[in-house]
Each structure stands twice: as structure tokens, then as C-alpha cells.
């Protein structure tokens, strides 16, 4: 009799364990799966800050399975690499499709998500996209929403006017855009070129491939412009026939040492790279908005076409105090306070 009771207890315990494991497995399998796909690598400061925005939102919603992947095309900008990385990612997504992909920056759209337009189960949320949605077919897609990345040019225009007024610089100002020839910068330059910067005059942009071309563009600003404006420069090659990219910190250190005019960035990482001042698109906003859209789809079962495209509404300030002082530029204290508030002030 005693042995029968023991066997019955063992059976009940076994049933309980199997049931618990099955319930736990079902619970996890039924969780929405969100796949975060970055174009670049996670050590890149832009990516780091976008991720900060994403985690601010997703960390308060634990009932999702979140996976991260980095295509790393900023450090490997060669077409063959991008094509192969994109195909590898497509195979991964086909073999284990998520419910929602948060895809950040243009390469992720060009080489991955555009191949999943109108997919029956996978929904797409883009962020950090500099080109128009039409470039990837998103305007005709029923499974896509997201946030466009646009340079905060109205804030930049106001800052230029403030600097001119406080530092007795003759108006109207003249500025020029410089950058590398990456897809991202080409999109930025197009937006910059078509934006109404009046009363500031805008000279023809200089997009370059090599370090020598960059240096010539910077030096040629002497006597022609009051400020140079740049968005990105990470794909400047050291030589015309080589594949070695000039590190951003090296490029900006040379620029700040040799530029005849102040240079202002339109991404917060410009000051982190060694630059004087940036009025930048907020990476935190890009991440937060994308994450909220993904939750609307994954948890509240909204369709992407119910969620209109967003665009940049916020900007951030970053600055390097020693360079501001060396240029004898007087800025309202609110700029330094804004930079310090997000830990983007560098001595």
C-alpha cells in the first residue's frame, strides 16, 4: 500500500513538472518576437544612443522576446560585403520569422527589409532612414511604418543666427555642407540642399571619397564661407585605391586643427569624435518612437498602415568646451546646459 502511494505521488509530481514545463514553453513561444536590426555596429555612438531609446521603451514591456543583430556596414562599406550580409540576414529571418523587425538606418532597408515588403506575417518598423520611403518601396507597403531621420536644420539655422549676432559676424552668413559619399550622407545632403536656409547663403556641397579630397574641401573654405556643416564622414578612405578608412577621431582632429572656419555637425557624435559643436538629430527619439510603434503592432495588434510615418521632431546639442573657447565663440549658456543634460559636453 505504501509503495502504491509513493508511485502515485511520483506520478503526480511528474505530471506537475511536465505541465509546468509545457506551460512555460507555450508562454514563451506565444510571446511576440521583436527583432532589432542595425545597419552598423554596436560600438558606434549613434547606434548606442538609438539603443538607449529603444531599451527605455522595451524594458518596461518584458512580455516580448527581443533579439539584436548588427550588419556592421559602416566599418565594411563595400558593396559585396553589404550584399552578402543582407542575404545572410534574409535567410535567418526566413528560417525564424519574427513578428516585428525594427530596422535602423538605410543599409538595413536597402539590403534586408525591402525584400519583406507586404510579407504576410512579418511587420517592419524603420528608424534612422535618411532617404525618402519611396526609395525602398515603403510608400506602397502595407506592413511598414517607422520614423524618418531628418537633419534639425531649423535649429541649426537659428543657432547660426545667434552665433552671428553675439559674435559680430557680418550677415548674411555663408555656409557649405561637406561629407563622405555614403548613402546616408547623400540623403542628408539632398535634404540640406533643398531646405530653405534663408537668409543664410548655401554654397555647393562637397562630398568626398578620400582624405586628400576632404582636406582640400576644408582648406578651400577659407575666405568663402563662415561655417562648414557636416553630417557624417566615416567612409572617407585614406587613399583613392585603398580600402583603409580614416578613423573618425583622426579625421576630425585634423579638421579642427586646420579648418579656417568653425565646423558644426548635425549629429551629436561630432563632438564625441572631437568636433566643436553639433546641433544633431536625436538618436534617442529615433529609438523611442520605433520601439513604441513596434509595441503597438506586437502587443496591441495594430496594423502598420494604421500607424502613419513619423519624422524627426527633437534635436540634441553636443559641444567641446575647449574648442568653443579657442574659436572665441560666445554662445548662450542654455547650449552648454543642454549638452551637459545628456552627457554630451566634453571639456
Amino acid at each position: 500500500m505504501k509503495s502504491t502511494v509513493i508511485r502515485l505521488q511520483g506520478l503526480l509530481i511528474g505530471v506537475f513538472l511536465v505541465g509546468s514545463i509545457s506551460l512555460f514553453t507555450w508562454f514563451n513561444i506565444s510571446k511576440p518576437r521583436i527583432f532589432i536590426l542595425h545597419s552598423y555596429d554596436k560600438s558606434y555612438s549613434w547606434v548606442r544612443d538609438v539603443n538607449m531609446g529603444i531599451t527605455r521603451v522595451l524594458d518596461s514591456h518584458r512580455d516580448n522576446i527581443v533579439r539584436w543583430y548588427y550588419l556592421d556596414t559602416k566599418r565594411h562599406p563595400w558593396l559585396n560585403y553589404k550584399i552578402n550580409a543582407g542575404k545572410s540576414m534574409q535567410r535567418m529571418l526566413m528560417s525564424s520569422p519574427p513578428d516585428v523587425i525594427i530596422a535602423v538606418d538605410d543599409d538595413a532597408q536597402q539590403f534586408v527589409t525591402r525584400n519583406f515588403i507586404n510579407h504576410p506575417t512579418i511587420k517592419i518598423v524603420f528608424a534612422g532612414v535618411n532617404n525618402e520611403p519611396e526609395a525602398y518601396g515603403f510608400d506602397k507597403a502595407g506592413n511598414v511604418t517607422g520614423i524618418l531621420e531628418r537633419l534639425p536644420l531649423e535649429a541649426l539655422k537659428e543657432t547660426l543666427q545667434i552665433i552671428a549676432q553675439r559674435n559680430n559676424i557680418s550677415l548674411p552668413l555663408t555656409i557649405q555642407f561637406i561629407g563622405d559619399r555614403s548613402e546616408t550622407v547623400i540623403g542628408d545632403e539632398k535634404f540640406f540642399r533643398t531646405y530653405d536656409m534663408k537668409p543664410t547663403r548655401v554654397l555647393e556641397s562637397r562630398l568626398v571619397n578620400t582624405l586628400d579630397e576632404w582636406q582640400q574641401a576644408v582648406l578651400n573654405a577659407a575666405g568663402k564661407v563662415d561655417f562648414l556643416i557636416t553630417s557624417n564622414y566615416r567612409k572617407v578612405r585614406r587613399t583613392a585605391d585603398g580600402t583603409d578608412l580614416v578613423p573618425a577621431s583622426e579625421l576630425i582632429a585634423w579638421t579642427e586643427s586646420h579648418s579656417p572656419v568653425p565646423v558644426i555637425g548635425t549629429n551629436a557624435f561630432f563632438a564625441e569624435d572631437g568636433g566643436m559643436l553639433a546641433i544633431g538629430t536625436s538618436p534617442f527619439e529615433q529609438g523611442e518612437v520605433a520601439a513604441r510603434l513596434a509595441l503597438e503592432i506586437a502587443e496591441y495588434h495594430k496594423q502598420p498602415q494604421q500607424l502613419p510615418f513619423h519624422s524627426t521632431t527633437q534635436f540634441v546639442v553636443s559641444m567641446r568646451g575647449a574648442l568653443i573657447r579657442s574659436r572665441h565663440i560666445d554662445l548662450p549658456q542654455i547650449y552648454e546646459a543642454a549638452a551637459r543634460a545628456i552627457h554630451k559636453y566634453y571639456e
Side-chain angles (χ1 to χ4, degrees):
M1 181 64 181
K2 185 176 180 180
S3 62
T4 302
V5 171
I6 292 174
R7 282 199 297 273
L8 181 59
Q9 287 178 335
L11 178 63
L12 291 173
I13 291 171
V15 169
F16 174 77
L17 289 174
V18 171
S20 298
I21 293 171
S22 299
L23 182 62
F24 179 77
T25 303
W26 174 84
F27 179 71
N28 279 291
I29 290 175
S30 63
K31 282 184 176 180
R33 288 160 296 171
I34 298 175
F35 191 96
I36 299 166
L37 174 64
H38 277 280
S39 299
Y40 311 133
D41 64 285
K42 63 181 177 183
S43 65
Y44 182 20
S45 52
W46 165 262
V47 174
R48 180 196 63 211
D49 292 343
V50 171
N51 282 347
M52 192 177 295
I54 291 173
T55 54
R56 280 176 185 170
V57 176
L58 294 188
D59 277 359
S60 59
H61 294 257
R62 296 286 188 178
D63 293 335
N64 299 286
I65 297 174
V66 180
R67 296 286 182 268
W68 306 73
Y69 194 86
Y70 302 85
L71 291 173
D72 201 4
T73 61
K74 187 69 78 178
R75 296 187 299 187
H76 304 86
W78 324 120
L79 182 59
N80 283 343
Y81 174 89
K82 292 182 179 181
I83 291 173
N84 290 331
K87 287 181 177 177
S88 175
M89 181 51 53
Q90 290 172 45
R91 287 193 293 272
M92 182 185 299
L93 292 169
M94 290 299 290
S95 65
S96 182
D99 296 291
V100 182
I101 304 171
I102 296 177
V104 186
D105 291 306
D106 289 81
D107 280 346
Q109 324 306 332
Q110 176 70 24
F111 296 98
V112 181
T113 59
R114 67 184 306 169
N115 297 287
F116 292 91
I117 285 177
N118 292 324
H119 189 279
T121 61
I122 297 176
K123 310 297 190 297
I124 300 166
V125 176
F126 64 79
V129 166
N130 301 76
N131 286 317
E132 296 299 323
E134 292 83 351
Y136 309 111
F138 293 163
D139 56 317
K140 297 181 175 62
N143 66 332
V144 179
T145 187
I147 176 169
L148 298 165
E149 177 193 343
R150 294 293 180 259
L151 303 182
L153 295 184
E154 196 60 32
L156 173 65
K157 190 163 73 171
E158 292 176 5
T159 299
L160 290 170
Q161 295 301 313
I162 290 170
I163 292 175
Q165 292 164 5
R166 293 175 69 102
N167 296 274
N168 298 318
I169 301 174
S170 299
L171 297 174
L173 296 174
T174 303
I175 62 176
Q176 185 176 40
F177 184 94
I178 62 172
D180 62 34
R181 288 190 171 276
S182 63
E183 284 292 323
T184 298
V185 175
I186 288 172
D188 284 342
E189 193 276 336
K190 182 179 180 182
F191 183 64
F192 181 84
R193 179 164 32 88
T194 56
Y195 195 85
D196 181 7
M197 293 296 289
K198 292 176 182 175
T200 300
R201 296 181 302 199
V202 180
L203 296 191
E204 185 177 353
S205 303
R206 293 290 305 273
L207 301 185
V208 306
N209 287 313
T210 67
L211 176 60
D212 181 62
E213 291 173 358
W214 175 274
Q215 292 174 337
Q216 288 301 315
V218 170
L219 296 175
N220 285 344
K224 299 176 183 173
V225 304
D226 297 294
F227 295 90
L228 288 171
I229 310 298
T230 187
S231 67
N232 216 326
Y233 33 76
R234 280 174 164 72
K235 295 184 181 177
V236 174
R237 297 200 302 268
R238 193 170 295 282
T239 59
D241 55 355
T243 59
D244 183 24
L245 300 176
V246 182
S249 58
E250 177 186 333
L251 190 76
I252 299 307
W254 182 93
T255 303
E256 289 293 351
S257 297
H258 294 82
S259 177
V261 299
V263 184
I264 298 179
T266 57
N267 277 301
F269 55 70
F270 178 65
E272 187 172 340
D273 289 337
M276 179 191 73
L277 173 68
I279 308 298
T281 306
S282 171
F284 311 109
E285 180 190 32
Q286 294 288 313
E288 289 175 1
V289 171
R292 284 199 293 270
L293 290 170
L295 290 177
E296 290 283 340
I297 297 167
E299 292 191 356
Y300 304 111
H301 308 296
K302 288 190 176 179
Q303 295 301 310
Q305 61 264 41
Q306 296 177 275
L307 305 168
F309 294 169
H310 292 243
S311 187
T312 300
T313 62
Q314 300 174 14
F315 69 92
V316 295
V317 176
S318 66
M319 67 166 62
R320 194 165 286 274
L323 292 177
I324 292 281
R325 291 189 292 274
S326 71
R327 293 278 187 185
H328 304 292
I329 291 178
D330 178 30
L331 270 176
Q333 290 186 341
I334 188 71
Y335 282 83
E336 180 177 331
R340 288 186 182 278
I342 58 169
H343 308 290
K344 299 290 185 186
Y345 183 87
Y346 307 93
E347 296 294 343

